[in-house]
C-alpha cells in the first residue's frame, strides 16, 4: 500500500498572496462604496467564523461566496472574483516557497518511495495557481481541499478517498488545532513546523523538542489559538523548523 507524507500549504510550504495583495485590493475596490474604518476584511473574517461555528466547513473557506454575500447584504453593486485576483497576484515575488530548497527536499522524499500529498483548507482555485507559479504542483501526487471533499481540517473524513489507496504516515503543518489534531486523530505522525523556532531549541532533537515546556507554552499561547489547552490531542509528536529535517528522521520507524 502506498505511503503518503502530507503537508499543509500556507505558512508551511508557501506564502500565498491573500494578506499582502488580494485582500488589500478588495478593500480598495470596495472603499468608495462602503464606509468602514477597518475596511471589509473584518466583515469577511466575521462571516468566516460564523460559518465555522455553524459547521459549514467547506463554505467557511469559500472566500468568493463570503464576499458576494457581504456585498449583497450591504447593497454594494460591484462584482469581485477573488479567484481571478489570486491568479493576478500569483506571481514572483508576491508568492514564494518558504524554504529555498523545499523542492529539492520534496524530490528526495519521493526518491525514498513516499507519495506526497497536500491537505489544505484553501480551495483548489486559490491554491493551485500559487503552486504552479512556485513549481510546487509538480512534486505533489494528491491535492485535497474542502471544495472536493466537503470537509476541512481537522475533520479526518477529508482524506477518506486517499486512505482507500494508501496510508498517511506523517502530516506536516503549522497549526496545532488544524494540522496536529488532524494527524493525531488519523494515527499519523503529527509534525508541527515552526519556522521561527529559537536557535537554542533547534539544537535539540525534533522528538525531544516537545519536552521543552517553556517553548511549548509559547506555541500554545499564540493569539491565533485563543484558549487552546495543551491536551494530548493537540500535542505534536515532533516539532521541526525546516522540512529539511524530514530527511534526517526515520519516518517509518516513528509511524
Amino acid at each position: 500500500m502506498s505511503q503518503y507524507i502530507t503537508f499543509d500549504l500556507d505558512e508551511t510550504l508557501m506564502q500565498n498572496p491573500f494578506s499582502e495583495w488580494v485582500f488589500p485590493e478588495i478593500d480598495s475596490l470596495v472603499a468608495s462604496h462602503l464606509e468602514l474604518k477597518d475596511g471589509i476584511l473584518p466583515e469577511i473574517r466575521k462571516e468566516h467564523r460564523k460559518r465555522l461555528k455553524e459547521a459549514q466547513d467547506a463554505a467557511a473557506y469559500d472566500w468568493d461566496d463570503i464576499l458576494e454575500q457581504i456585498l449583497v447584504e450591504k447593497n454594494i453593486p460591484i462584482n469581485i472574483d477573488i479567484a481571478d485576483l489570486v491568479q493576478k497576484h500569483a506571481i514572483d515575488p508576491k508568492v514564494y516557497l518558504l524554504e529555498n530548497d523545499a523542492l529539492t527536499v520534496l524530490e528526495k522524499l519521493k526518491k525514498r518511495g513516499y507519495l506526497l500529498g497536500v491537505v489544505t483548507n484553501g480551495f483548489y482555485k486559490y491554491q493551485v495557481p500559487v503552486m504552479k507559479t512556485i513549481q510546487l504542483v509538480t512534486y505533489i501526487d494528491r491535492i485535497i481541499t474542502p471544495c472536493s471533499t466537503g470537509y476541512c481540517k481537522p475533520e479526518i473524513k477529508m482524506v477518506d478517498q486517499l486512505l482507500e489507496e494508501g496510508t498517511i504516515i506523517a502530516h506536516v503543518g503549522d497549526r496545532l488545532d488544524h494540522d496536529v489534531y488532524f494527524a493525531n486523530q488519523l494515527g499519523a505522525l503529527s509534525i508541527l513546523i515552526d519556522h521561527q523556532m529559537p536557535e537554542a531549541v533547534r539544537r535539540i532533537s525534533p522528538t525531544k523538542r516537545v519536552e521543552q515546556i517553556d517553548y511549548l507554552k509559547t506555541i500554545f499561547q499564540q493569539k491565533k489559538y485563543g484558549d487552546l489547552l495543551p491536551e494530548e490531542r493537540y500535542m505534536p509528536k515532533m516539532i521541526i523548523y525546516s522540512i529539511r529535517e524530514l530527511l534526517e528522521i526515520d519516518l517509518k520507524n516513528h509511524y
Side-chain angles (χ1 to χ4, degrees):
M1 183 172 281
S2 301
Q3 292 187 317
Y4 277 88
I5 301 172
T6 57
F7 295 86
D8 174 50
L9 280 177
D10 302 318
E11 309 305 326
T12 296
L13 292 177
M14 72 183 199
Q15 177 62 52
N16 69 48
F18 271 88
S19 60
E20 295 295 325
W21 303 98
V22 174
F23 283 137
E25 182 163 347
I26 293 171
D27 263 335
S28 177
L29 292 170
V30 173
S32 62
H33 300 272
L34 183 66
E35 293 185 8
L36 286 175
K37 179 182 177 182
D38 298 318
I40 199 170
L41 185 53
E43 297 292 319
I44 293 174
R45 287 173 173 160
K46 179 181 177 182
E47 179 60 24
H48 166 70
R49 291 192 295 268
K50 177 175 177 288
R51 294 184 182 197
L52 284 178
K53 187 175 181 179
E54 295 174 351
Q56 299 182 54
D57 291 349
Y61 292 92
D62 188 345
W63 304 115
D64 275 297
D65 186 67
I66 289 174
L67 178 59
E68 181 181 357
Q69 176 182 317
I70 294 170
L71 294 178
V72 170
E73 289 174 349
K74 297 189 177 298
N75 296 312
I76 299 175
I78 59 175
N79 294 313
I80 300 174
D81 191 313
I82 295 181
D84 283 348
L85 292 182
V86 171
Q87 187 73 57
K88 171 184 175 181
H89 293 294
I91 56 175
D92 180 46
K94 295 180 180 180
V95 297
Y96 50 87
L97 289 162
L98 296 181
E99 299 181 41
N100 292 333
D101 59 350
L103 300 184
T104 299
V105 172
L106 296 179
E107 184 175 17
K108 289 181 178 179
L109 289 172
K110 289 178 74 70
K111 286 181 177 179
R112 294 183 181 183
Y114 297 114
L115 293 178
L116 304 182
V118 159
V119 183
T120 172
N121 284 351
F123 270 34
Y124 189 93
K125 61 183 177 180
Y126 307 136
Q127 302 290 46
V128 170
V130 180
M131 293 176 69
K132 287 181 177 178
T133 296
I134 60 179
Q135 301 178 46
L136 179 59
V137 71
T138 305
Y139 297 84
I140 302 301
D141 299 290
R142 290 290 301 273
I143 301 173
I144 299 173
T145 65
C147 49
S148 63
T149 66
Y151 299 102
C152 61
K153 291 178 296 185
E155 175 53 66
I156 60 175
K157 290 180 181 179
M158 194 174 184
V159 292
D160 277 354
Q161 188 173 353
L162 184 150
L163 294 177
E164 291 177 2
E165 62 185 66
T167 303
I168 298 175
I169 67 166
H171 176 75
V172 183
D174 69 302
R175 291 190 64 115
L176 298 168
D177 52 352
H178 293 174
D179 300 297
V180 169
Y181 182 26
F182 167 77
N184 285 342
Q185 288 186 97
L186 281 174
L189 182 62
S190 54
I191 303 178
L192 181 71
I193 189 165
D194 177 14
H195 295 289
Q196 308 303 318
M197 184 184 293
E199 189 62 38
V201 181
R202 293 187 181 200
R203 293 194 288 268
I204 300 170
S205 166
T207 57
K208 298 294 184 182
R209 290 168 185 159
V210 294
E211 299 173 7
Q212 305 302 303
I213 303 302
D214 290 340
Y215 168 59
L216 208 57
K217 281 182 179 178
T218 64
I219 292 177
F220 274 90
Q221 290 170 355
Q222 291 178 37
K223 185 177 179 180
K224 63 185 177 182
Y225 294 133
D227 298 324
L228 194 70
L229 297 174
E231 302 170 3
E232 185 176 355
R233 57 181 170 170
Y234 299 122
M235 294 291 287
K237 298 297 188 300
M238 291 186 188
I239 309 178
I240 60 176
Y241 64 86
S242 164
I243 64 168
R244 291 191 303 275
E245 291 194 285
L246 296 175
L247 299 175
E248 304 167 9
I249 300 168
D250 185 351
L251 297 173
K252 293 180 181 179
N253 184 51
H254 287 284
Y255 171 62

